[in-house]
Amino acid sequence: MSTVRTADFGTGSLSRAAALLHTVLTVEALLLATAAPGLAGLLLLGPDPDPANLPLAAVCLLPLGPAASAAVYALHHRSRDLTDLHPARAYRRGLRLNALPALKLWTPLLAWLTVIAFTLTHFSATGLPAWWAVLLGAIGVACLLWGAHALLLTSLFAFRARDTARLATYFLLRHGRATLAAASLLVLAGAMTALLTEALPALLAAPLLLSLLHAGRPVIAETQEDFTA
């Protein structure tokens, strides 16, 4: 009887829930620790930074790319067994494997988004018609959605940066539901920032990334089936 209890320990619903909570909290703490230097810089810029400081804010956000990639890796490889939890080890492995690949995609994405944000904040000085602002905003949203797919791909697969970029573009329309789910998470994060506090999306980064990982299962499955050996 004791053997059965031992075998069952860590596999029940309560144990799986506890394992998930432990993993999410651990990954969240490690993500914040990894991104802490940049987040501290953002705090120094203040809640309403001068638009001229947008490039500096982008530099502060650079550590967030590798941190998010390591978090996605750790959450994807999490154990459902309460007796076999190693989220910190998985996070460190994800950071070691994905830091450079993530930066290769995150850096140009941040640079482009910074250009868009700077243009929109100084739009009256450009002399462009109003529809250009709408177009730039739409391009910025599309870039963020592309970045969501690229984050999943670069976190879980060892593709070259240009191949990851192409696949992320392909999946934008190929898996509309996954893209729509990413858009919903983007809206949620934006609403939390606007209505509550800028820190809330960072404090809930791990649950948001777990939701993105869940929504991106079709993307992950097709990539495994059709684009890996």
Side-chain angles (χ1 to χ4, degrees), residues 8-218:
D8 289 344
F9 182 77
T11 61
S13 299
L14 184 59
S15 294
R16 290 197 299 271
L20 177 60
L21 181 61
H22 171 78
T23 299
V24 169
L25 291 177
T26 302
V27 169
E28 176 67 34
L30 291 170
L31 185 154
L32 291 176
T34 304
L39 296 178
L42 288 178
L43 289 176
L44 292 176
L45 291 178
D48 297 308
D50 191 306
N53 288 330
L54 282 172
L56 183 57
V59 172
C60 292
L61 286 172
L62 278 175
L64 191 59
S69 184
V72 169
Y73 180 93
L75 292 170
H76 179 71
H77 292 89
R78 72 186 188 278
S79 173
R80 274 73 169 177
D81 188 346
L82 191 59
T83 63
D84 186 33
L85 297 179
H86 305 286
R89 182 190 304 171
Y91 182 92
R92 289 193 298 269
R93 176 174 172 78
L95 189 61
R96 185 173 67 253
L97 292 174
N98 298 330
L100 183 58
L103 278 175
K104 287 181 179 180
L105 295 170
W106 181 236
T107 302
L109 176 61
L110 264 182
W112 179 235
L113 290 173
T114 302
V115 170
I116 292 176
F118 190 86
T119 302
L120 290 176
T121 54
H122 297 81
F123 192 76
S124 59
T126 64
L128 295 171
W131 62 268
W132 267 96
V134 177
L135 179 61
L136 284 174
I139 292 173
V141 171
C143 288
L144 287 171
L145 296 177
W146 173 88
H149 289 306
L151 175 63
L152 291 179
L153 294 171
T154 198
S155 301
L156 305 180
F157 302 97
F159 297 129
R160 294 174 300 181
R162 63 173 177 266
D163 294 330
T164 301
R166 290 170 183 166
L167 280 175
T169 304
Y170 166 73
F171 285 130
L172 269 176
L173 296 178
R174 169 66 175 171
H175 288 291
R177 288 186 178 180
T179 302
L180 183 60
S184 300
L185 292 172
L186 178 62
V187 170
L188 178 61
M192 288 190 295
T193 300
L195 300 177
L196 297 172
T197 172
E198 296 85 352
L200 192 56
L203 294 175
L204 296 178
L208 290 171
L209 290 173
L210 183 62
S211 299
L212 179 65
L213 189 60
H214 179 79
R217 286 184 300 178

